[in-house]
Each structure stands twice: as C-alpha cells, then as structure tokens.
C-alpha cells in the first residue's frame, strides 16, 4: 500500500510450518503510510524464511511510521536464513517502534537477530526515533550465527535509538560475534539511550557483549542499568563503543561471570557511575575504560565477594587512554577475597 494508513491485526491464531523465501507467514511493504502490525495471544511455530529475512514476518516502510506490537504470544523454533528469526523490519526515512510484551520464545534462530532484526536507512537530516520496548518476555535458546542472539538493531545515519528492556528473562541466548542477547550496530550522529531494568540474564554468550554490544560513531550512548541479575556468563557482559559513553549502574547483582563485565571504548570521554552494585565469584575486569579524552569512574556502596582464582588477573577498575585525565572515586566499597600473592 501507498499513502494513508495500513493496519494488520492477528489475534488468537496458530501459524505453523509456513515457508517462504522472505517473511514466511507475513510480507508487508508500505510507502508514505502509517503502518501498524499487532500480533496477540497467538502461537507461531517452526516457520522459516528459506532464503532471506523474517522467519514469521518481514515488514518494510518507506517514509511514514512503522509499528510492531507482539503481546502474549508463544514463538517456538522459527528461523530465517538471513536476519530476523521471528521478525525482520526495515525502515527507510521512517520512524519505527517495536513493543514486545509477555511473550514466551524458545529456539529461534537466524544469521543476525535470532528473534528480531531491524534496519534503518535514510538520508533525512531530521532525527527519526527508533523506539524499542521489551517487557516481561521469557527468551530461552535463541541464537544467531552472526550477531544479536535475540535482537540485531542496525541504526544508521539520522536515527535516534531509545531502547527499554524491563522484567525479562534471557537464558542460553547466543551469538557467534557481537551481542549475545542484543547487538546495536552502525549507530551514528545522535544521542542514543538504553535502559535495562529488573531483568534476569543467565548463561548468554558472544564474542563481544554477552548481554549487550553497542558500536558505531554515535555522539553519545547513555546506558542505565537498575536491579538486574547477571550470572553464569563466560564472555564480557556489556561492550560500548561511541564518541562518548555514559553508564549508570544501580543495585545490580553480578554472580559467577568469568570474563569482563563492562568494557567502554570512547574517542572523546567515558563516564561510569555505580551505586549499590554487588559482585561475587567473578574473573577479569569488572570495569575496563578506554577513552582518548577523559575517563571518570565513581563507585559507591559496592560489595565484591570472592573473586575467583584464574590465570586472568581480577581487577575492579582498569582505566587507560591517551589523555592524562583519569578520575576514580570510591566510597564505601567492600572487597572480600582470598587471593594468592600473584592474583592480588
């Protein structure tokens, strides 16, 4: 369709064993239209995009807006040969939003974005918002042979990303390269905000960022974490790469993670603020900061218990960079460990 608006609603349906080259169950493309897709109370199982994107759905919007809402659905063993084992969205000079709430998702797979893949392209000089809200989902055994075991979000040129992830459970979600759970790539230009609140993350894997990887030439990435539990990871948890990296970490619990936790790489400056976090049975750097400009870390009311013996040196903070301005503030920090001399 072109112009006006487009609505599609799927409710209390069961879609299984569909196959197509792209978008096995649904294929939708609009131009200059307000574009809304609502999926609810439905089951999608063993659907496959054999050659391209969208194991369940492929949706493309040129100009206008694009909205996908998925609520109280069960997704099982959906697959795409390329991107988006469940859903693949492409927006060209269009704002888009994705809302996934109270879904049960198992064994979804793709090259990039085991469940969700979104791509933004465009030439507009305006800031077009790409909004993602993930709430109350249970995701197990999702995987990507490339990046983004759950979600692969490619945000290029004039897009501004806002991502909120709350009250979800992610377990055994994996990617071969970046972003075991979530990979955000090609971010540029504007300020991008990521908020992770009260999620359970367990045994997710990736080469970079078992929970989250963010990369690109963005002016600023601002990450807020509150009341998350992250445990049993063997790869670095969160990697951020931007001109300016800002992290606020509050009351999170990190248990038995055997690689670095936060890795911040910035061409201008990096800022890290922690309040009330707890670390137990960890290995490697908890915080690694590398900025060409200014590094600032403020850590208060942190409890670290029993860093684990390993060939990898355990460090609370490792700050490096080209600039001589490195600021570290510690307030009411407790570290309890039984370390050999060569591990201290």
């Amino acid at each position: 369709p072109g112009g006006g608006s487009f609505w599609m609603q799927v409710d209390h349906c069961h879609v299984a064993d569909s196959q197509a080259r792209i978008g096995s169950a649904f294929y939708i493309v609009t131009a200059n239209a307000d574009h809304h897709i609502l999926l609810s109370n439905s089951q999608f199982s063993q659907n496959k995009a054999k050659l391209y994107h969208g194991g369940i759905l492929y949706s493309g919007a040129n100009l206008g807006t694009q909205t996908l809402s998925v609520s109280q659905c069960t997704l099982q063993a959906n697959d795409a040969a390329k991107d988006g084992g469940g859903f693949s969205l492409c927006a060209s000079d269009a704002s888009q939003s994705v809302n996934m709430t109270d879904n049960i998702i198992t064994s979804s797979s793709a090259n990039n974005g085991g469940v969700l893949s979104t791509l933004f392209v465009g030439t507009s000089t305006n800031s077009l918002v790409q909004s993602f809200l993930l709430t109350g989902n249970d995701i197990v055994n999702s995987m990507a042979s490339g990046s983004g075991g759950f979600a692969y979000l490619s945000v290029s040129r004039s897009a501004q990303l806002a991502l909120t992830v709350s009250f979800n459970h992610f377990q055994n979600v994996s990617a071969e390269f970046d972003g075991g759970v979530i990979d955000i790539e090609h971010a540029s230009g504007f300020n991008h905000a990521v908020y992770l609140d009260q999620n359970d993350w367990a045994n997710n894997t990736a080469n970079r960022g078992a929970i989250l990887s963010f990369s690109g030439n963005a002016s600023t990435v601002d990450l807020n974490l509150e009341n998350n539990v992250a445990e049993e990871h063997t790869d670095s948890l969160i990697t951020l790469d931007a001109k300016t990296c800002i992290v606020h970490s509050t009351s999170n619990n990190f248990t038995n993670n055997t690689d670095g936790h936060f890795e911040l790489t910035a061409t201008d400056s990096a800022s890290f603020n922690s309040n009330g976090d707890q670390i137990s049975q960890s290995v490697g750097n908890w915080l690694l900061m590398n900025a060409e400009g200014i590094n600032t870390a403020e850590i208060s009311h942190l409890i670290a218990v029993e860093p684990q013996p390993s060939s990898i040196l355990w460090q609370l903070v490792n700050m490096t960079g080209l600039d001589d301005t490195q600021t570290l503030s510690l307030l009411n920090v407790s570290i309890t460990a039984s370390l050999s001399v060569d591990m201290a």
Side-chain angles (χ1 to χ4, degrees):
S5 62
F6 170 83
W7 288 82
M8 184 183 81
Q9 183 171 6
V10 177
D11 184 51
H12 287 92
C13 292
H14 184 198
V15 181
D17 300 310
S18 295
Q19 293 193 17
R21 291 161 57 91
I22 181 170
S24 72
F26 308 103
Y27 176 86
I28 303 159
V29 176
T30 63
N32 198 24
D34 291 330
H35 174 136
H36 305 279
I37 302 167
L38 296 87
L39 311 177
S40 58
N41 304 298
S42 297
Q43 298 181 34
F44 301 93
S45 59
Q46 297 183 318
N47 302 290
K48 183 172 184 176
K50 295 188 293 183
L51 294 181
Y52 300 108
H53 318 293
I56 297 169
L57 173 142
Y58 175 84
S59 177
N62 182 21
L63 303 175
T65 61
Q66 176 168 237
T67 301
L68 171 66
S69 175
V70 184
S71 63
Q72 296 184 314
C73 290
T74 299
L75 283 64
Q76 183 176 13
N78 299 288
D79 174 74
K82 290 195 172 179
D83 298 343
F87 312 105
S88 179
L89 279 65
C90 179
S92 177
D93 282 326
S95 295
Q96 70 180 351
S97 66
V98 176
N99 186 338
M100 298 184 67
T101 305
D102 297 333
N103 301 289
I104 299 172
I105 304 171
T106 57
S107 303
S108 186
S109 61
N111 180 34
N112 294 313
V115 176
L116 172 67
S117 170
T118 67
L119 169 66
F120 175 87
V121 295
T123 58
S124 173
T125 57
N126 298 321
S127 174
L128 297 173
V129 175
Q130 311 295 297
S131 174
F132 303 89
L133 177 61
L134 310 173
T135 307
N137 301 287
D138 188 355
I139 298 98
V140 178
N141 295 333
S142 172
M143 65 165 293
S145 57
S147 296
F150 170 72
Y152 174 81
L153 313 178
S154 180
V155 187
S156 60
R157 298 185 67 93
S158 55
Q160 182 176 1
L161 178 137
L163 169 65
T164 299
V165 183
S166 302
F167 302 99
N168 302 279
H169 173 233
F170 298 96
Q171 184 173 0
N172 297 333
V173 180
S174 65
E176 184 70 21
F177 299 114
D178 297 344
V181 178
I182 300 169
D183 181 43
I184 303 168
E185 293 195 0
H186 309 300
S188 63
F190 295 95
N191 300 333
H192 305 275
V194 179
Y195 181 46
L196 309 179
D197 176 42
Q198 300 190 61
N199 301 285
D200 291 328
W201 316 83
N203 196 35
N204 307 294
T205 61
N207 186 52
R208 279 172 33 96
I211 289 174
L212 170 68
S213 174
F214 182 103
S215 62
N217 194 35
S219 297
T220 302
V221 54
D222 191 338
L223 170 65
N224 282 269
L225 304 92
E226 294 187 35
N227 300 299
N228 294 273
V229 175
E231 57 187 350
E232 305 289 341
H233 295 90
T234 58
D235 305 296
S236 60
L237 298 184
I238 293 174
T239 62
L240 305 180
D241 187 347
K243 292 180 179 178
T244 298
C245 297
I246 301 171
V247 176
H248 295 273
S249 179
T250 305
S251 301
N252 300 287
N253 192 316
F254 303 95
T255 302
N256 197 25
N257 300 296
T258 57
D259 202 336
H261 287 63
F262 296 94
E263 296 184 6
L264 280 57
T265 302
T267 54
D268 291 340
S269 64
S271 172
F272 183 88
N273 183 286
S274 166
N275 184 9
D277 288 325
Q278 296 187 33
I279 315 165
S280 61
Q281 300 176 321
S282 63
V283 171
N285 298 303
W286 184 62
L287 171 62
L288 174 63
M289 302 178 72
N290 183 6
E292 295 181 12
I294 300 171
N295 279 322
T296 303
E298 298 179 357
I299 301 173
S300 63
H301 299 90
L302 178 137
I303 299 174
V305 180
E306 291 298 334
Q308 294 300 292
S310 169
S311 59
I312 302 173
L313 180 67
W314 186 85
Q315 293 179 314
L316 180 66
V317 180
N318 185 336
M319 304 171 75
T320 63
L322 299 178
D323 196 280
D324 290 333
T325 306
Q326 315 281 338
T327 302
L328 172 63
S329 173
L330 302 177
L331 174 65
N332 291 333
V333 172
S334 172
I335 300 175
T336 304
S338 300
L339 297 178
S340 61
V341 173
D342 61 346
M343 287 292 297

